[in-house]
């Protein structure tokens, strides 16, 4: 009897620990598109680190605005203290407990900062990794830029830098999680709805149910 009660208490407190899925992949691989689809069917809040940084850049009086713009335009990565604090605040503000963290952690500084500040406050479920060729990703981002995305990094020069950063800094992070058996690789070269079918398989095989 006592052990059953203790088990229930443990489960209750476990549920309180926010659960996160990191969503990684090259610029234009479809992270944001898939996160929107996931958050419609699953009980996960989509938090895009890039969107949070772009919002902070626009916030009147932000002490980081200029630095963020410079980093984004140059395809460089913003110091983790800034990004992690924006993510933490957004998690708290949502009042929810399950999060898709889109586009983070993307380098060693991000990983170490998250591990220092957040890893014992959260549970990492797995890492979704969208695999897509450089050619296709570039075509998608340039297409989005031509269609008026307004993103200061959807141009050939910034894209070249974003890709270099992705290969040099982000791939080692994906490999780090892969060695821990946490990476779910997704073929992101097909149409969005087809990609989403693979995503659903990944969620299902991790025991996560559709809610809507
Ligand atoms: N599209 C999507 N899926 C498609 C499909 N299957 N078939 C055909 N077209 C598809 O999609 C990109 C475009 O492709 C869209 O037009 C879409 O319709 C189409 P999207 O879903 O936006 O792809 P995504 O992978 O999200 O691409 P994004 O450009 O957002 O990726 P990045 O990782 O480059 O951008 P992010 O916003 O995460 O980061 C931008 C910058 O912010 C970074 O370079 C960095 O400077 C900074 N940053 C940090 O410093 N730290 C962080 O933690 C995060 C960001
Ligand atoms: Mg995105």
């Amino acid at each position: 009897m006592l052990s059953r009660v203790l088990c229930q208490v443990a489960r209750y407190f476990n549920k309180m620990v926010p659960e996160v899925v990191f969503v990684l992949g090259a610029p234009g691989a479809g992270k944001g598109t898939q996160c929107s689809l996931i958050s419609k069917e699953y009980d996960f809040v989509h938090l895009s680190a890039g969107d949070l940084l772009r919002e902070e850049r626009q916030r009147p009086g932000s002490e980081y605005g200029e630095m963020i713009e410079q980093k984004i335009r140059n395809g460089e990565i913003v110091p983790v203290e800034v990004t992690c604090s924006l993510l933490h605040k957004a998690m708290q503000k949502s009042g929810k407990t399950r999060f898709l963290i889109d586009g983070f952690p993307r380098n060693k500084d991000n990983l170490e900062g998250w591990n220092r500040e957040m890893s014992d406050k959260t549970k990492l479920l797995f890492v979704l990794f969208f695999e897509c060729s450089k050619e296709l990703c570039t075509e998608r981002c340039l297409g989005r830029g031509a269609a008026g995305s307004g993103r200061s990094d959807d141009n050939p020069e910034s894209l070249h830098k974003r890709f270099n950063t992705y290969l040099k800094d982000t791939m080692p992070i994906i490999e780090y999680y892969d060695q821990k058996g946490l990476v779910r690789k997704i073929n992101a070269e097909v149409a969005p709805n087809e990609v989403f079918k693979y995503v659903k398989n990944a969620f299902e095989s991790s025991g996560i149910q559709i809610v809507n």
Side-chain angles (χ1 to χ4, degrees):
M1 174 68 182
L2 179 66
S3 69
R4 216 175 68 211
V5 171
L6 286 177
C7 251
Q8 277 172 351
V9 170
R11 262 210 307 274
Y12 175 78
F13 280 107
N14 257 337
K15 252 189 129 175
M16 294 290 102
V17 175
E19 294 178 325
V20 307
V21 170
F22 290 141
V23 181
L24 297 174
K31 302 181 293 293
T33 303
Q34 293 302 318
C35 285
S36 298
L37 294 172
I38 298 166
S39 60
K40 281 188 191 131
E41 293 196 22
Y42 295 86
D43 194 14
F44 276 79
V45 176
H46 174 200
L47 296 179
S48 157
D51 286 349
L52 290 169
L53 289 167
R54 283 182 284 271
E55 261 172 46
E56 175 65 20
R57 176 188 62 186
Q58 297 306 115
R59 191 174 61 82
S62 167
E63 58 182 305
Y64 303 118
E66 231 171 85
M67 178 272 287
I68 293 173
E69 173 54 19
Q70 206 188 359
K71 296 277 183 201
I72 288 182
R73 205 179 270 275
N74 285 320
E76 291 167 0
I77 299 167
V78 171
V80 69
E81 290 73 19
V82 176
T83 317
C84 207
S85 140
L86 292 172
L87 284 168
H88 193 187
K89 275 189 218 151
M91 287 168 79
Q92 287 177 317
K93 195 172 157 203
S94 76
K96 301 280 186 163
T97 55
R98 282 182 144 180
F99 302 94
L100 299 164
I101 301 198
D102 164 1
F104 177 97
R106 16 184 5 124
N107 67 1
K108 198 160 172 269
D109 168 65
N110 282 184
L111 177 67
E112 288 173 354
W114 177 269
N115 286 345
R116 214 167 37 239
E117 299 295 327
M118 297 297 290
S119 65
D120 57 357
K121 298 190 185 93
T122 54
K123 179 176 181 224
L124 174 62
L125 298 178
F126 54 89
V127 177
L128 271 184
F129 169 36
F130 291 104
E131 287 188 297
C132 191
S133 71
K134 181 177 177 180
E135 292 67 33
L136 206 46
C137 286
T138 304
E139 192 184 306
R140 288 178 185 174
C141 289
L142 291 180
R144 183 178 57 187
S149 69
R151 275 182 55 161
S152 60
D153 58 352
D154 277 344
N155 59 72
E157 202 187 324
S158 296
L159 264 168
H160 181 69
K161 293 176 180 167
R162 286 159 73 189
F163 258 95
N164 285 346
T165 302
Y166 168 70
L167 294 175
K168 185 169 78 59
D169 296 332
T170 311
M171 276 313 294
I173 305 303
I174 295 166
E175 279 152 19
Y176 164 84
Y177 284 121
D178 199 22
Q179 275 165 19
K180 291 177 170 280
L182 284 169
V183 171
R184 309 286 181 265
K185 287 185 188 157
I186 306 288
N187 171 9
E189 297 197 335
V190 291
N193 286 345
E194 295 299 313
V195 179
F196 190 48
K197 285 183 194 160
Y198 301 137
V199 169
K200 280 176 155 176
N201 288 341
F203 273 71
E204 224 168 83
S205 62
S206 301
I208 298 168
Q209 312 294 326
I210 289 176
V211 289
N212 291 319

